[in-house]
Amino acid sequence: MEPIRVAILGFGTVGKGVYAHIKEEQQSLEQTLNRPVQVTAVLVNDESKHRDVANHVLLTTNMDDVLAQQIDIVVEAITGVESAYQYVTAAIEQGCHVVTANKAMYAARGQKLQELAEERRINVKYDASVAGGIPIIDTLNQIHQLESVHRIEAILNGTSNYILTAVAKEGLTFHEALTQATRLGYAEADPSHDIDGFDALNKAYILANLLRKDYQEITVNRRKGLDQLQLDEVLNKQTNQVLKPLVTIDATSESAIEIVVEPTWVEENHPLSSVDGVQNAIVISSDRLGSLKLEGAGAGEKPTAHAIVQDIVKTVKEDNRILV
Amino acid sequence: MEPIRVAILGFGTVGKGVYAHIKEEQQSLEQTLNRPVQVTAVLVNDESKHRDVANHVLLTTNMDDVLAQQIDIVVEAITGVESAYQYVTAAIEQGCHVVTANKAMYAARGQKLQELAEERRINVKYDASVAGGIPIIDTLNQIHQLESVHRIEAILNGTSNYILTAVAKEGLTFHEALTQATRLGYAEADPSHDIDGFDALNKAYILANLLRKDYQEITVNRRKGLDQLQLDEVLNKQTNQVLKPLVTIDATSESAIEIVVEPTWVEENHPLSSVDGVQNAIVISSDRLGSLKLEGAGAGEKPTAHAIVQDIVKTVKEDNRILV
Ligand SMILES: NC(=O)c1ccc[n+]([C@@H]2O[C@H](COP(=O)([O-])OP(=O)(O)OC[C@H]3O[C@@H](n4cnc5c(N)ncnc54)[C@H](OP(=O)(O)O)[C@@H]3O)[C@@H](O)[C@H]2O)c1
Ligand SMILES: NC(=O)c1ccc[n+]([C@@H]2O[C@H](COP(=O)([O-])OP(=O)(O)OC[C@H]3O[C@@H](n4cnc5c(N)ncnc54)[C@H](OP(=O)(O)O)[C@@H]3O)[C@@H](O)[C@H]2O)c1
């Protein structure tokens, strides 16, 4: 059987995780898909760093060389918007399916990519971009297909949640908590977008866009990060309340889907009050289902790699050309 | 476009809910599937009861008449094992896909049905049979495809959870709580299997079977219902513990998957301690994902109907003959 040829763009936390997952689960993947999955090329930024990849894998800084490898599926796990967008566009134009973990890129350009992909009957999947190991995209898509989702409440940034939990439960200062989050590998190397709310906003935008009807806008009513919290706000604890880095998506207005990103005091019986540390969670409210909550690992090498490999499996199953 | 022809077996809480859902969402279903969905026949037990169905729908007590209607998909929402199994078998043999909500039947005969269905390239879907509105079957299947799930902890019987919550938080007696659950429509007309643990056990069995490898057995290490609780056990509250109707599925042994159904005291920081009232929840533990929790409505007309219609949509999408 011809292998399914996968390229991985980026070989940081996520890229390495995907590489390891595919290697470790070689057999079970082949059993599931009736064809082996092979990582054929890895794209990086800095050629001089040591990379622990097998000899047959092309390691390059040149996307043209990657695409010359007859790739079936491109996994995009780099940082930043522009290069990522260009690489992914080139991949789609060449008929490759795409699986991305890059929320900044997908929030900014996801719609364009989906349009381009639809023309070419290509899949662009992005489950790993929101709440890492929680299968939120497919779940939300399926519910939304059957009935209106009117509200989402979520904790989508693990670093912020870790910090607020450590401040509240361990009595750390904000800076001690951030340092600890960085040391434990929860915060990004540059955690500024964890802290200023833009990471959560990007994820909220991706979810809102999934719910959006053609004529609706997405409006951001407020984006407040931990960095804008005043000390007295944090200390202003009410009994039975906890401060959570909340994302709210309100889809009840006909003209717009409204996003609020803001640390918020919630009652102890609020469904997100017990979500602590680096955990993420999402509560989806709709008429028939009532409220459905998903809670799990929002980031990290293994959960994120799992989500990406899940998207690879789905891509293969949905493409009869690949599946043969 | 030719409609997709659906038969509904049983017109109780679930059957009626499915009928209403399909009627109310006619337009959006047609948009999703590119073909209208039409309820063509309804099978009941007692012909004399009044049924609120449209004139063009065949209402009958005879399964042969149902199958004479060129049905594409049979929704099975009756009670009991034997008749349900016979109807579903006849449907599969005639080439109909099946969607069932009947956990007693599916726990007892699911494997046989899947074998029969595989021979005929038919889908038998059963998401509604476990935890109503929580999309547990697909989620678990997908995780399990990629890596070993070693443990599941869950609350799968809403009535038991409702009763234990009411006893603990409202100070009701067991019997007052059960009466209230019945009055509110949470308990089944005959709630004996809610109370003796068999309802939860059937659902546990369905989940365990999904994780089972060919050579593994499923063993039930303990099934204890609320009816076997001694008063002193209920009153024996430890500080920071709550009594929950717990289901545990342990898949770490190579020879067997082990099920325990038992009211259990859990610590307040246990992921299921905050799941109150009629809510259901499932915690799936695996190496890479860590733990993923799903929480939502475990039963009721609308959530269960949503789950069934979801399975109808998936069935259509997976069948290229139907989809055209
Ligand atoms: N970490 C998580 O838990 C997580 C979870 C979900 C989603 N994500 C998203 O996944 C993406 C990757 O995250 P990460 O944590 O793996 O980041 P990372 O550890 O910083 O790694 C980024 C990788 O991308 C490469 N890269 C950056 N710009 C590039 C360019 N222009 N061309 C080629 N390669 C380039 C880097 O190359 P060098 O190695 O040569 O520097 C590096 O290997 C990000 O978009 C992130 O937001 C991360
Ligand atoms: N209720 C829930 O929230 C829920 C959730 C998930 C799964 N389920 C499962 O879904 C199934 C249906 O539950 P339900 O609550 O809708 O039950 P229900 O309200 O008691 O309704 C049962 C229906 O099945 C019909 N029926 C029973 N035996 C039959 C037979 N031999 N032939 C033809 N029709 C027969 C009855 O006919 P008559 O009307 O003529 O008596 C009735 O319409 C059960 O297996 C249940 O465990 C229920």
Side-chain angles (χ1 to χ4, degrees), chain A residues 8-83:
Chain A
I8 301 177
L9 317 186
F11 207 67
T13 306
V14 177
K16 270 186 223 160
V18 173
Y19 184 84
H21 188 139
I22 291 175
K23 192 170 148 190
E24 289 161 19
E25 299 292 335
Q26 197 62 59
Q27 281 197 319
S28 73
L29 280 172
E30 179 163 355
Q31 215 175 326
T32 304
L33 298 174
N34 295 318
R35 280 175 66 184
V37 175
Q38 188 183 76
V39 177
T40 307
V42 169
L43 183 81
V44 292
N45 198 28
D46 177 351
E47 219 155 2
S48 70
K49 288 189 199 167
H50 172 74
R51 316 284 176 169
D52 202 3
V53 294
N55 283 334
H56 66 264
V57 179
L58 172 75
L59 185 72
T60 177
T61 57
N62 185 337
M63 184 64 181
D64 293 337
D65 294 347
V66 171
L67 291 176
Q69 299 293 309
Q70 292 187 285
I71 302 299
D72 296 304
I73 301 174
V74 167
V75 172
E76 191 265 299
I78 71 178
T79 41
V81 175
E82 287 309 326
S83 305

Side-chain angles (χ1 to χ4, degrees), chain A residues 230-272:
Chain A
Q230 306 297 321
L231 190 61
D232 58 343
E233 292 180 84
V234 181
L235 297 179
N236 184 24
K237 183 182 182 332
Q238 312 291 317
T239 350
N240 293 333
Q241 291 196 339
V242 277
L243 188 61
K244 287 291 162 197
L246 225 61
V247 168
T248 309
I249 301 170
D250 184 332
T252 49
S253 145
E254 273 301 293
S255 57
I257 296 194
E258 296 171 11
I259 297 175
V260 172
V261 173
E262 184 176 36
T264 305
W265 289 99
V266 300
E267 300 291 326
E268 259 178 16
N269 62 3
H270 186 283
L272 296 174

Side-chain angles (χ1 to χ4, degrees), chain A residues 21 24-25 32 133 142 145-147 288-289 291-296 302-303 306 310 314 317, chain B residues 21 24-25 32 133 142 145-147 288-289 291-296 302-303 306 310 313-314 317:
Chain A
H21 188 139
E24 289 161 19
E25 299 292 335
T32 304
Q142 283 172 15
Q145 220 170 45
L146 285 199
E147 59 171 317
R288 292 201 181 85
L289 278 191
S291 89
L292 176 69
K293 173 166 122 181
L294 284 78
E295 179 176 341
K302 289 185 179 190
H306 179 114
Q310 204 65 266
K314 287 179 190 166
K317 292 198 166 178
Chain B
H21 187 139
E24 289 160 19
E25 299 293 336
T32 305
Q142 283 173 15
Q145 217 171 48
L146 284 198
E147 59 170 315
R288 292 202 181 84
L289 278 191
S291 88
L292 176 69
K293 173 166 120 181
L294 285 77
E295 180 177 340
K302 288 184 177 188
H306 179 114
Q310 203 66 266
V313 168
K314 287 180 191 165
K317 291 199 167 177

Side-chain angles (χ1 to χ4, degrees), chain B residues 231-299:
Chain B
L231 190 62
D232 59 342
E233 292 180 85
V234 181
L235 297 178
N236 185 23
K237 182 181 183 330
Q238 312 291 316
T239 351
N240 294 333
Q241 292 195 339
V242 276
L243 188 61
K244 287 290 162 197
L246 226 62
V247 168
T248 309
I249 301 169
D250 184 333
T252 50
S253 146
E254 273 302 292
S255 58
I257 297 194
E258 296 171 11
I259 296 175
V260 172
V261 173
E262 185 175 37
T264 306
W265 289 99
V266 300
E267 300 291 325
E268 259 179 14
N269 61 5
H270 186 284
L272 297 175
S273 71
S274 60
V275 179
D276 278 344
V278 288
Q279 291 286 98
N280 279 196
I282 299 127
V283 180
I284 304 166
S285 301
S286 64
D287 279 335
R288 292 202 181 84
L289 278 191
S291 88
L292 176 69
K293 173 166 120 181
L294 285 77
E295 180 177 340

Side-chain angles (χ1 to χ4, degrees), chain B residues 155 230 249 319:
Chain B
I155 293 175
Q230 305 296 321
I249 301 169
D319 182 340

